């Protein structure tokens, strides 16, 4: 079956781009921070430098690790589910569930290994860049030599490949257990998945919330001096965002309930279809909610945290190291936010491209291009509202304790400009990715999209 | 000359569908396939016509061009006296949802919509008032009055196809096209669907054009048109399954003979063959 997996990946290269991209970018991100640990572990590095490098690698890289694992898992799950029809065909041709599991695992493994290996040189370069930045900002002394070694390779290859394989095992079980007839009939291929959430999701969500809460408490108690509060608060939003992501389908359903009325009233047939889709296929549409929440949460959280820090540090005391930390914070936030942003585009493009057949069916019943695009826009509007709302909530575990630690007040000064800027980017990216893809999909004549089943 | 042609080709008021010298080819230079070769036909209102032919004969292309789902390379299609040519994608879509109903082999119901929602969707998209009583009546007619709130995945193939027919009938289209509507169904469900189509013609005066490869399905129609190699090669009124099957068996031989003749003609005089005699309109 591995041979089949190799052929499948080669033949349908485009279908695997999303997973590949997630693995590749994730590995680059993790390797860059892993390299800092390698650098610190080398002999001849002073204790102080070693501590700085290791802390950064563990604290920032550790959270990045979880983020990457999450992204790879969700992208791979999406791509396997999109191929339910093809898998059912193989099953009807006599493939046993064990063979199918092998095939999905083989594909995932192949993609992950290739993606992670390709990432090695880029990861090494990014790590070098990070170190250069640390040196330039006097965080680390000039003579430290860059090392790219076992930690970078181990974590970079390890987390991406393990996350991919883990997701493949879970997803392939579920897909392989599906009845052939159910998967083959076109109506069932798009059958709404059960509305109940899996236990594992709930547990994972609660764990993430717990960690976030603990980080918040530690930040709040860290006191106004130095960077202690920042060190804990900086990761609380990522954790809370991941926790919210575990409940994405539920959050999507709430937002849909809230917005269904106005959408139905103001947007005609497009809104009608959008609301029905949102209600029936919450899980599929919720897959894009995670990156929006993370993007907004981390963006708003970290930037705001930095603003609070700057505002409370006396002007006279602005040292070179303050500026350095600020720059560093922006770079790190930038890397993680950029990763979330690319994941968002990735997910939206993959999910929208997969709806080719659905769009075709709507067009055959008489939907104009404008009506299909209107439907996609309305659905993404709900996504955006949910993402902005819950993303802002995800930022609070970072912002509130930071404010308390620095000013003794839980409520920081409002930063409308910062929030609006982040929100604007989220809105533009979401709409551009989904509507752009939908427009491209609509170029194929409707009758062809329906004939090309699957 | 154009003037005289227009007059000659102008559809009459009693016609639901007219194709005038419609041609369509697919593929590039090396792999060129002529799907439709100068096809002309006219179908009166309130008739049930089956189009038959071997696979690759151009049946589905004919149906798609006639229904405005595909654009012919040359020639004109009139539905209800209105020309399809020269309309933009959006105009064509709007025209289709007003005047054309289409039933597919694979049903193409939207999986997230219930039976009733699927049926009323064309009206919603057209911004027309949704007459729920009428939609219910149509669903009652196709025998699904008790299943209004079911999702397509909860229905059998035959029931899904009947929903698709209800959806196509709800807008009261000028022509209802059906592409192998019984292709994915068992014999029993197929008979229900065919009876339903027949009834919509006989009782409600609907015009139906159906592509099929099944002689039994074709026998439900008032007339059968035979298509081979993208050309209309014959017509049969009041078909029986046996007569249709027989005719189909010989169709292959007929086509081979015609091809030989054509090659012969091309050999004699290329210009004669390409200009051709105007093919008899069916």
């Amino acid at each position: 079956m591995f041979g089949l997996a190799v052929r499948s990946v080669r033949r349908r290269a485009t279908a695997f781009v999303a997973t590949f991209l997630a693995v590749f970018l994730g590995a680059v991100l993790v390797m860059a921070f892993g390299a800092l640990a390698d650098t610190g572990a080398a002999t001849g590095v002073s204790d102080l430098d070693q501590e700085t490098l290791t802390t950064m690698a563990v604290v920032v890289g550790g959270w990045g690790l979880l983020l990457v694992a999450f992204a790879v898992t969700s992208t791979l799950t999406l791509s396997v589910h999109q191929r339910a029809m093809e898998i059912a065909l193989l099953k009807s041709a006599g493939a046993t569930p064990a063979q199918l599991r092998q095939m999905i695992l083989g594909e995932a493994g192949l993609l992950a290994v290739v993606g992670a290996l390709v990432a090695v040189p880029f990861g090494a370069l990014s790590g070098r860049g990070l170190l250069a930045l640390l040196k330039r900002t006097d965080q680390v002394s000039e003579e430290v030599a860059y090392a790219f070694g076992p930690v970078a390779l181990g974590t970079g290859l390890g987390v991406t490949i393990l996350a991919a394989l883990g997701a493949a095992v879970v997803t392939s079980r579920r897909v392989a257990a599906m009845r052939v007839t159910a998967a083959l009939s076109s109506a069932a291929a798009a059958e709404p998945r059960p509305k109940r959430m899996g236990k594992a999701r709930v547990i994972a969500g609660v764990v993430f919330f717990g960690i976030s809460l603990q980080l918040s408490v530690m930040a709040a108690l860290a006191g106004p001096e130095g960077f202690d509060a920042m060190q804990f608060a900086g990761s609380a939003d990522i954790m809370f965002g991941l926790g919210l992501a575990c409940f994405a389908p539920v959050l999507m359903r709430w937002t849909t309930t809230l917005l269904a009325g106005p959408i139905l009233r103001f947007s005609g047939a497009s809104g009608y279809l959008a609301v029905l889709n949102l209600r029936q296929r919450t899980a599929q549409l919720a897959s894009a909610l995670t990156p929006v929440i993370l993007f907004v949460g981390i963006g708003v959280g970290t930037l705001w945290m930095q603003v609070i820090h700057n505002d409370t540090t006396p002007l006279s005391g602005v040292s070179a190291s303050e500026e350095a930390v600020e720059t560093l914070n922006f770079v790190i936030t930038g890397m993680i936010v950029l990763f979330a942003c690319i994941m968002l585009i990735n997910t939206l493009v993959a999910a929208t491209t997969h709806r080719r057949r659905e769009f075709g069916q709507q067009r055959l019943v008489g939907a104009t291009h404008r009506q299909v695009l209107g439907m996609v826009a309305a659905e993404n509007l709900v996504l955006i509202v949910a993402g902005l709302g819950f993303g802002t909530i995800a930022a609070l575990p970072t912002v509130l304790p930071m404010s308390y630690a620095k000013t003794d007040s839980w409520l920081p000064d409002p930063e409308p400009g910062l929030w609006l800027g982040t929100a604007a980017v989220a809105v533009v990216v979401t709409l551009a990715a989904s509507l752009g893809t939908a427009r491209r999909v609509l170029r194929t004549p409707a009758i062809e999209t329906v004939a090309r089943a699957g | 000359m154009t003037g005289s042609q227009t007059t000659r080709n102008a559809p009459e008021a009693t016609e639901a569908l007219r194709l005038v010298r419609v041609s369509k080819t697919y593929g590039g230079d090396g792999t060129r396939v002529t799907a439709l070769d100068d096809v002309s036909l006219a179908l009166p209102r309130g008739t049930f016509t089956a189009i038959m032919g071997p696979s690759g004969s151009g049946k589905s292309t004919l149906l798609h061009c006639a229904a405005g789902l595909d654009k012919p390379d040359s020639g004109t299609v009139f539905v209800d006296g209105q020309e399809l040519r020269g309309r933009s994608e959006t105009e064509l879509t709007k025209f289709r949802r007003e005047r054309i109903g289409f039933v597919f082999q694979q049903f193409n119901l939207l999986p997230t919509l219930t039976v009733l929602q699927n049926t009323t969707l064309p009206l919603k998209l057209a911004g027309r008032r949704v007459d729920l009583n009428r939609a219910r009546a149509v669903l009652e007619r196709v025998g699904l009055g008790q299943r209004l709130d079911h999702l397509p995945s909860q229905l059998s193939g035959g029931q899904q196809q009947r929903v698709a027919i209800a959806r196509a009938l709800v807008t009261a289209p000028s022509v209802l096209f059906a592409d192998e509507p019984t292709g994915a169904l068992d014999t029993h469900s197929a008979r229900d669907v065919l009876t339903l189509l027949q009834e919509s013609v006989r009782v409600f005066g609907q015009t139906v054009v159906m592509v099929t490869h099944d002689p039994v399905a074709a026998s439900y129609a008032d007339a059968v048109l035979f298509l081979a190699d993208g050309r209309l090669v014959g017509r049969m009124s009041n078909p029986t399954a046996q007569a249709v099957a027989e005719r189909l068996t010989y169709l292959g031989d007929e086509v081979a003979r015609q091809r030989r003749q054509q090659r012969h003609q091309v050999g004699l005089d290329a210009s004669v063959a390409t200009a051709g005699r105007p093919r008899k309109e069916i």
Side-chain angles (χ1 to χ4, degrees):
Chain A
M1 283 313 262
F2 185 71
L4 185 62
V6 175
R7 271 198 298 282
S8 172
V9 172
R10 272 173 52 193
R11 280 282 163 76
R12 309 189 27 175
T14 48
F16 295 97
V17 166
T19 312
F20 180 85
L21 207 61
V23 169
F24 170 76
L25 289 170
V28 170
L29 191 68
V30 172
M31 283 175 192
F33 285 99
L36 295 185
D38 284 325
T39 307
T43 45
V45 178
S46 72
D47 283 354
L48 190 68
D49 284 345
Q50 184 176 2
E51 197 195 322
T52 311
L53 288 166
T54 315
T55 308
M56 181 154 284
V58 171
V59 174
V60 186
W63 305 139
L65 209 78
L66 275 170
L67 191 66
V68 167
F70 211 88
V72 171
T73 310
S74 70
T75 325
L76 191 94
T77 310
L78 185 72
S79 88
V80 173
H81 275 289
Q82 290 186 342
R83 295 168 56 218
M85 179 89 104
E86 183 195 332
I87 288 163
L89 273 175
L90 285 171
K91 217 172 174 182
S92 72
T96 64
Q99 284 175 319
L100 289 175
R101 282 202 297 274
Q102 270 174 37
M103 185 195 77
I104 295 171
L105 265 176
E107 284 171 9
L110 185 72
L111 273 176
V113 169
V114 174
L117 285 179
V118 173
V120 170
F122 295 91
L125 272 176
S126 310
R128 190 181 288 277
L130 264 182
L131 183 68
L133 190 76
L134 287 170
K135 285 180 182 170
R136 200 151 52 82
T137 53
D138 290 330
Q139 303 277 305
V140 175
S141 58
E142 206 53 53
E143 60 266 26
V144 171
Y146 178 61
F148 185 82
V151 179
L153 284 174
T155 52
L157 296 177
V159 70
T160 45
I161 294 172
L162 282 182
L165 289 181
V169 168
V170 174
T171 323
S172 66
R173 274 234 181 105
R174 210 177 310 153
V175 172
M178 206 154 77
R179 284 194 352 266
V180 175
T181 44
L184 275 183
S185 89
S186 61
E191 196 175 358
R193 271 188 264 152
K195 288 194 173 167
R196 255 173 52 84
M197 286 200 3
K199 248 190 213 143
R201 265 187 106 102
V202 177
I203 293 172
V206 170
V207 169
F208 283 129
F209 286 142
I211 300 174
S212 171
L213 187 69
Q214 193 183 353
L215 288 167
S216 294
V217 170
M218 284 157 80
L221 300 177
E225 295 308 315
F227 304 115
D228 292 352
M230 200 181 246
Q231 192 180 325
F232 296 119
S235 309
D237 52 7
I238 304 185
M239 288 296 109
F240 205 84
L242 289 176
L244 285 172
C246 291
F247 296 97
V250 179
L251 305 182
M252 203 67 183
R253 211 168 303 135
W254 287 351
T255 318
T256 304
T257 311
L258 191 74
L259 294 181
I263 289 180
L264 284 175
R265 176 167 301 182
F266 294 113
S267 53
S270 300
Y272 168 76
L273 285 171
V275 168
L276 284 169
N277 274 337
L278 285 162
R279 284 192 182 140
Q280 297 273 344
R281 298 158 102 172
T282 323
Q284 284 93 324
L285 295 165
S287 62
L289 184 58
T290 305
V292 190
I293 289 181
L294 289 174
F295 176 78
V296 175
I298 300 170
V300 171
T302 320
L303 294 176
W304 202 343
M305 173 180 83
Q306 188 62 49
V307 171
I308 295 171
H309 181 84
N310 292 355
D311 288 351
T312 51
T313 310
L315 264 179
S316 56
V318 177
S319 62
S321 97
E322 295 282 349
E323 270 176 47
V325 172
E326 185 177 350
T327 318
L328 199 63
N329 256 342
F330 286 141
V331 170
I332 292 165
T333 311
M335 282 173 78
I336 292 178
V337 164
L338 189 68
F339 182 73
C341 186
I342 293 173
M343 281 304 112
L344 174 59
I345 297 172
N346 204 4
T347 313
L348 285 174
V349 170
T352 311
T353 307
H354 187 66
R355 296 174 66 186
R356 181 187 288 133
R357 184 179 160 86
E358 177 200 334
F359 294 163
Q361 288 177 328
Q362 287 159 349
R363 288 158 70 197
L364 289 177
V365 185
T368 58
H369 282 202
R370 185 192 281 266
Q371 283 174 321
V372 174
L373 290 174
M375 174 190 75
V376 175
E379 287 169 8
N380 278 282
L381 196 73
V382 174
L383 179 72
I384 287 168
V385 170
L388 289 181
F390 294 108
T392 308
I393 291 174
L396 297 181
T398 292
V399 175
L400 301 186
M402 183 70 186
S403 171
Y404 182 76
K406 293 282 179 186
T407 64
D408 270 341
S409 152
W410 285 101
L411 283 180
D413 292 337
E415 294 291 338
L418 191 157
W419 189 87
L420 283 175
T422 315
V425 175
V427 171
V428 169
V429 166
T430 306
L431 287 182
S434 56
L435 289 177
T437 312
R439 273 181 83 107
R440 198 162 43 79
V441 169
L442 288 178
R443 255 183 244 148
T444 319
I447 194 79
E448 274 175 45
T449 62
V450 171
R452 241 192 273 151
Chain B
M1 174 187 163
T2 343
S4 74
Q5 227 174 17
T6 316
T7 349
R8 184 158 55 83
N9 293 336
E12 289 161 32
T14 53
E15 274 172 18
L17 177 73
R18 176 182 278 258
L19 269 64
V20 183
R21 308 202 62 175
V22 170
S23 294
K24 174 90 188 169
T25 52
Y26 288 113
D29 291 335
T31 54
R32 213 167 179 72
V33 177
T34 304
L36 288 180
D37 187 4
D38 207 14
V39 171
S40 298
L41 60 83
L43 301 177
R45 282 181 209 284
T47 55
F48 186 178
T49 310
I51 296 176
M52 297 202 76
S55 2
S57 58
K59 302 187 296 279
S60 288
T61 309
L62 176 64
L63 214 58
H64 293 161
C65 285
L69 294 173
D70 202 347
K71 285 187 178 168
D73 296 337
S74 64
T76 326
V77 176
F78 296 91
V79 172
D80 217 13
Q82 307 278 317
E83 196 174 342
L84 297 191
R85 194 167 55 183
R87 290 171 195 259
S88 74
E89 173 80 24
T90 303
E91 287 168 342
L92 211 52
T93 303
K94 287 181 176 165
F95 183 82
R96 273 198 294 112
R97 69 187 182 197
E98 293 289 330
R99 314 240 186 167
I100 293 171
F102 208 107
V103 174
F104 300 88
Q105 182 177 358
Q106 292 302 337
F107 325 137
N108 281 328
L109 298 176
L110 291 172
T112 55
L113 271 60
T114 64
V115 165
L116 187 62
Q117 287 167 337
N118 259 296
T119 309
T120 53
L121 183 61
L123 300 171
K124 290 224 178 208
L125 287 169
R128 278 154 74 175
R129 202 177 62 83
V130 176
D131 184 344
L132 282 180
N133 287 330
R134 182 180 151 73
R136 282 206 193 94
V138 176
L139 282 166
E140 202 74 56
R141 231 170 87 198
V142 303
L144 290 167
Q146 307 303 313
R147 306 242 167 193
L148 303 183
D149 296 323
H150 286 60
L151 288 174
S153 54
Q154 297 167 314
L155 302 178
S156 72
Q159 288 170 329
Q160 290 190 48
Q161 193 60 299
R162 284 185 276 150
V163 177
I165 291 174
R167 178 177 70 178
L169 287 175
V170 79
T171 57
S174 306
V175 189
L176 173 70
F177 293 97
D179 190 358
E180 301 269 14
T182 57
L185 302 181
D186 62 86
T187 327
H188 183 76
S189 309
R191 202 166 53 212
D192 287 351
V193 162
L194 290 164
T195 310
L196 197 62
L197 289 174
Q198 198 177 45
E199 190 188 86
S200 73
V201 176
R202 304 241 164 107
V203 181
F204 298 91
Q206 183 67 51
T207 311
V208 175
V209 184
M210 170 177 75
V211 156
T212 181
H213 63 265
D214 175 13
V216 176
S219 69
Y220 283 77
D222 306 327
V224 180
L225 299 179
F226 293 94
L227 201 67
D229 273 358
R231 282 188 229 168
L232 285 174
V233 290
R235 180 179 195 281
M236 184 186 284
S237 299
N238 304 316
T240 62
Q242 204 182 356
V244 171
E246 227 164 277
R247 182 69 188 268
L248 273 179
T249 318
Y250 295 120
L251 203 58
D253 300 341
E254 260 176 62
V255 172
R257 202 180 57 237
Q258 281 187 4
R259 254 191 224 144
R260 266 200 304 280
Q261 271 176 358
Q262 198 187 21
R263 260 203 299 275
H264 185 61
Q265 235 171 1
V266 172
L268 284 178
D269 183 350
S271 65
V272 174
T274 42
R277 280 166 293 221
R279 257 174 222 104
K280 215 177 106 195
E281 198 174 284
I282 303 178

